[in-house]
Amino acid sequence: MAGTIAVVSALGMTAVLGGCGMTGGSADVTLKLVAADYGDNAANSSKKYWDKLVREYEAEHPGVEIDVSVYSWNDVDRKVREMVSAGDPPDMAQIGAYADYAAHNQLYKADDLLSIPVQADFVGQLATAGQVKGVQYGMPFASSTRVLFYNKTLFSKAGITPPETWEDLADDAEALKAEGVKYPYALPLGPEEAQAESMQWMLSGGGGYTDSVDSYGIDSPENVDTFSWLKDDLVGKGLTGPVAPGELNRAAAFAAFAKGEVGMLNGHPSLAKIAAKGGVKYGMVPTPGKEGTTGSTLGVADWMTAFRKNGNRDQIGDFLDFVYSEKNVLAFSREYDLLPVTSSASATMAASGRDRHLRTFLEELPSSELYPAGKTSWADVSAQVKQQIGKAVAPGGSPSAVLGRLQAEASRAENAE
């Protein structure tokens, strides 16, 4: 096993572990799958999930062998790129992006592979987010949403209630600051995951990365207003803590919340586990909006893809039908505190007492909006946002200028697609 390196997936899941593989005996067809690791230690590595699933599948399909290699999020996308560049892609890859491969006609379409009931079972907006020009290539494998977490103990001490609007949030942050809370509102716009925090705030202000015709609209009036409010009413008033938002990473913000140093911050399901381990009593509410509760929150997904190079379409499709059975989707989602990507598993989870800690996130999923992952330019645009967006709320910074530069770069990248 390779050395452990903490990394973050598109879902914001911190994971460790290096490459590892598993194979069976001889078979008529061997399907190679490269998968990402969602575990944070050897005991809950995704290798164990795939080991069990593959054993069950191969027992029922003696002519098919599934050869799975599991890599950390630090390595998995690069490993797949290297395999594709060498002309030896895996049959399937469970990774963070798909659009580049689809653009080069290297992937099977979802409806070439999956049975109609399985494909129809995907949560609607997740399936749509897996499309390039109306054709689905990316099959959602794991999903998550974001909600506002707050520290119940600190809120009780300050005599405040959870916010519903931006004004409420600023007032609560003022009260928390007066009580000496280190981070009244933690605003992680550092390079680790700034694209997520940014989109969450854009949506709460009625904007987003794209406009109504799916072109980039990063410097829209709504987005400029949002970042102007953040700069003037939160950051400028000292309500975001001692670390500049552009230098605060998500992992550090989560760790501070677990220490009881944060009053409020946006988070996903794994924060609940982190906070509980830290003994923090927390609550969760929908993201506050400019005038009221936000109409849509940030949804994120990681993707399963299938490469055409080696053929094996029927065998891949049959295996993926098994992967996406309700039982297996539930098992994976429960193991890693993620949201199911299928409607059937989501309904089961929503009705189950054992999953009540995920109910708030589940309720947000139907109205969530995802990154524009179907754009081959998104990876570059996301990287630019991570590096630059913190400057929009820095002292002396200009939200309109920073967002304008990002828009210009996004437009160039989009035109080059």
Side-chain angles (χ1 to χ4, degrees):
M1 189 68 67
T4 60
I5 304 174
V7 294
V8 180
S9 80
L11 300 177
M13 293 288 293
T14 302
V16 298
L17 306 176
C20 46
M22 49 196 165
T23 62
S26 60
D28 298 330
V29 174
T30 298
L31 300 178
K32 292 185 178 182
L33 166 62
V34 173
D37 199 336
Y38 290 81
D40 56 11
N41 57 65
N44 71 349
S45 166
S46 294
K47 180 181 184 301
K48 293 192 173 183
Y49 171 80
W50 287 110
D51 268 336
K52 182 174 184 295
L53 185 147
V54 166
R55 278 197 304 271
E56 292 180 8
Y57 184 79
E58 290 181 344
E60 298 175 8
H61 301 79
V64 180
E65 175 185 302
I66 312 295
D67 176 0
V68 184
S69 297
V70 176
Y71 296 98
S72 79
W73 275 106
N74 193 56
D75 298 322
V76 67
D77 287 295
R78 175 179 55 82
K79 287 283 187 182
V80 173
R81 282 196 303 271
E82 290 173 352
M83 294 170 74
V84 173
S85 296
D88 186 28
D91 294 282
M92 294 164 284
Q94 188 268 299
I95 47 181
Y98 63 86
D100 274 350
Y101 301 124
H104 289 91
N105 198 32
Q106 294 169 318
L107 301 180
Y108 281 117
K109 302 171 186 176
D111 56 11
D112 287 338
L113 302 167
L114 302 174
S115 65
I116 292 173
V118 169
Q119 190 176 1
D121 197 25
F122 286 132
V123 173
Q125 69 269 48
L126 299 180
T128 300
Q131 295 178 356
V132 175
K133 297 179 179 177
V135 178
Q136 186 180 357
Y137 295 93
M139 293 163 277
F141 184 76
S143 70
S144 180
T145 57
R146 301 292 197 268
V147 299
L148 184 78
F149 282 72
Y150 65 97
N151 183 310
K152 287 186 172 181
T153 303
L154 297 179
F155 266 59
S156 177
K157 185 179 178 183
I160 55 179
T161 57
E164 295 181 4
T165 66
W166 289 0
E167 184 179 357
D168 294 343
L169 189 147
D171 289 345
D172 285 350
E174 289 278 11
L176 291 163
K177 181 183 179 182
E179 291 290 336
V181 175
K182 188 173 182 179
Y183 295 90
Y185 178 84
L187 182 64
L189 295 178
E192 180 187 353
E193 210 195 13
Q195 84 287 358
E197 183 75 11
S198 296
M199 184 167 173
Q200 187 79 343
W201 277 100
M202 288 175 180
L203 290 170
S204 75
Y209 284 117
T210 56
D211 58 24
S212 59
V213 294
D214 202 34
S215 294
Y216 286 111
I218 297 174
D219 64 346
S220 69
E222 293 84 359
N223 290 343
V224 172
D225 285 349
T226 294
F227 279 89
S228 296
W229 186 87
L230 287 171
K231 179 178 182 292
D232 297 338
D233 289 66
L234 284 188
V235 181
K237 294 181 179 179
L239 302 178
T240 55
V243 180
E247 298 173 8
L248 180 65
N249 280 326
R250 181 201 57 80
F254 279 19
F257 188 79
K259 293 178 184 176
E261 298 174 344
V262 175
M264 300 172 281
L265 80 169
N266 287 322
H268 51 66
S270 69
L271 179 57
K273 185 180 292 186
I274 295 169
K277 284 183 180 178
V280 172
K281 294 181 180 178
Y282 64 90
M284 299 179 293
V285 293
T287 304
K290 189 173 184 178
E291 306 294 340
T293 302
T294 303
S296 61
T297 188
L298 170 64
V300 291
D302 295 330
W303 305 99
M304 178 69 77
T305 60
F307 287 86
R308 301 172 56 205
K309 177 78 180 288
N310 302 322
N312 300 324
R313 186 184 78 171
D314 292 344
Q315 292 86 351
I316 293 170
D318 188 72
F319 176 65
L320 290 179
D321 273 1
F322 180 74
V323 168
Y324 284 109
S325 67
E326 181 180 331
K327 180 190 78 165
N328 288 326
V329 171
L330 275 173
F332 178 83
S333 301
R334 285 168 167 162
E335 176 66 30
Y336 299 108
D337 278 332
L338 293 167
L339 302 184
V341 296
T342 62
S343 298
S344 59
S346 294
T348 298
M349 185 175 277
S352 171
R354 68 179 285 189
D355 303 306
R356 58 183 174 273
H357 63 295
L358 293 173
R359 197 160 292 156
T360 301
F361 300 95
L362 274 171
E363 291 169 353
E364 294 290 300
L365 188 58
S367 62
S368 65
E369 291 193 27
L370 284 81
Y371 300 130
K375 293 179 177 291
T376 58
S377 57
W378 170 241
D380 289 338
V381 172
S382 176
Q384 289 296 324
V385 170
K386 290 178 183 181
Q387 295 300 321
Q388 298 187 43
I389 199 68
K391 300 173 185 175
V393 299
S398 167
S400 61
V402 172
L403 294 177
R405 285 196 298 272
L406 287 168
Q407 174 63 28
E409 292 169 4
S411 294
R412 283 195 292 271
E414 187 171 36
N415 291 333
E417 288 186 11

